[in-house]
Amino acid sequence: MRAEYINPFYQATQDVFRLMLSIETEQGKLGVVEDMVPGKEANVVIGVTGDLKGTILFSFPKEMVLEMVKIMSGMEMDEIDSFVSSALGEVANIVGGNAMTYLTANNLTCDIVPPQVFVGVNKSMSMASGKALLLPLITPIGEFEIYIFLKENRNPQA
């Protein structure tokens, strides 16, 4: 996996959080994760197809998700219900879509598949693709991670 896959996700996250939530994001220390990744209370998985294939995992703490939805909807929420999960999935979907647009600067054509939201405390999750790039992000309302499991697709039609 190549490090230039990280910038499109960081830029897309910055743009979406600035536009939708009026908050700034700061990049934490990049890392590499092998095999199992630690899950938080709210996780969104988005598949990637095209010139790159793989998975993007967004992992958020509960308090941050509830604050994000409060900012977007104006409603105070105390649990991650179907409304909150839907809003979270949509934020991740927009970030993922924007990142795919930024990847075109690297002459890569990719698409995303609809997000899957997993709620609940997960000690760890296996993404079954070996190594992932870890992009930790810090915001005024909490810290979250984006795990990028992408590899070049030798057969983009598949």
Side-chain angles (χ1 to χ4, degrees), residues 97-110:
N98 288 356
M100 297 305 108
T101 300
Y102 286 129
L103 281 169
T104 61
N106 294 326
N107 294 319
L108 296 167
T109 302
C110 300

Side-chain angles (χ1 to χ4, degrees), residues 1 4 16 18 39 41 49 56-57 63 75 80 83 86-87 101 107 116 118 136 141 152 156-157:
M1 186 172 348
E4 63 261 20
V16 171
R18 190 176 293 135
E41 293 94 344
T49 62
I56 308 303
L57 169 65
E63 296 76 21
M75 296 188 302
I80 301 177
F83 177 79
S86 177
T101 300
N107 294 319
Q116 295 179 301
F118 298 94
I141 62 170
E152 292 179 17
Q157 307 309 319

Side-chain angles (χ1 to χ4, degrees), residues 90-101:
E90 192 54 34
V91 169
N93 195 41
I94 294 168
V95 169
N98 288 356
M100 297 305 108
T101 300

Side-chain angles (χ1 to χ4, degrees), residues 43-57:
N43 301 284
V44 183
V45 175
I46 295 179
V48 176
T49 62
D51 292 339
L52 298 176
K53 65 179 179 178
T55 306
I56 308 303
L57 169 65

Side-chain angles (χ1 to χ4, degrees), residues 24-158:
E24 296 297 321
T25 57
E26 180 183 324
Q27 183 174 302
K29 186 175 188 220
L30 298 175
V32 176
V33 178
E34 293 189 53
D35 301 324
M36 303 294 276
V37 296
K40 293 189 184 307
E41 293 94 344
N43 301 284
V44 183
V45 175
I46 295 179
V48 176
T49 62
D51 292 339
L52 298 176
K53 65 179 179 178
T55 306
I56 308 303
L57 169 65
F58 298 82
S59 192
F60 297 90
K62 176 182 176 181
E63 296 76 21
M64 182 176 180
V65 171
L66 297 175
E67 187 62 26
M68 287 169 59
V69 173
K70 179 181 173 185
I71 292 168
M72 290 187 298
S73 71
M75 296 188 302
E76 190 80 38
M77 308 297 286
D78 54 6
E79 287 301 320
I80 301 177
D81 59 11
S82 60
F83 177 79
V84 173
S85 335
S86 177
L88 181 61
E90 192 54 34
V91 169
N93 195 41
I94 294 168
V95 169
N98 288 356
M100 297 305 108
T101 300
Y102 286 129
L103 281 169
T104 61
N106 294 326
N107 294 319
L108 296 167
T109 302
C110 300
D111 287 311
I112 57 173
V113 299
Q116 295 179 301
V117 180
F118 298 94
V119 176
V121 179
N122 297 305
K123 298 258 188 258
S124 60
M125 296 192 291
S126 171
M127 300 308 283
S129 65
K131 294 181 181 179
L133 294 174
L134 165 61
L135 172 59
L137 294 160
I138 303 157
T139 75
I141 62 170
E143 298 181 17
F144 69 103
E145 290 85 32
I146 301 175
Y147 296 90
I148 304 169
F149 300 86
L150 293 176
K151 58 185 174 183
E152 292 179 17
N153 190 0
R154 302 199 191 290
N155 183 11
Q157 307 309 319

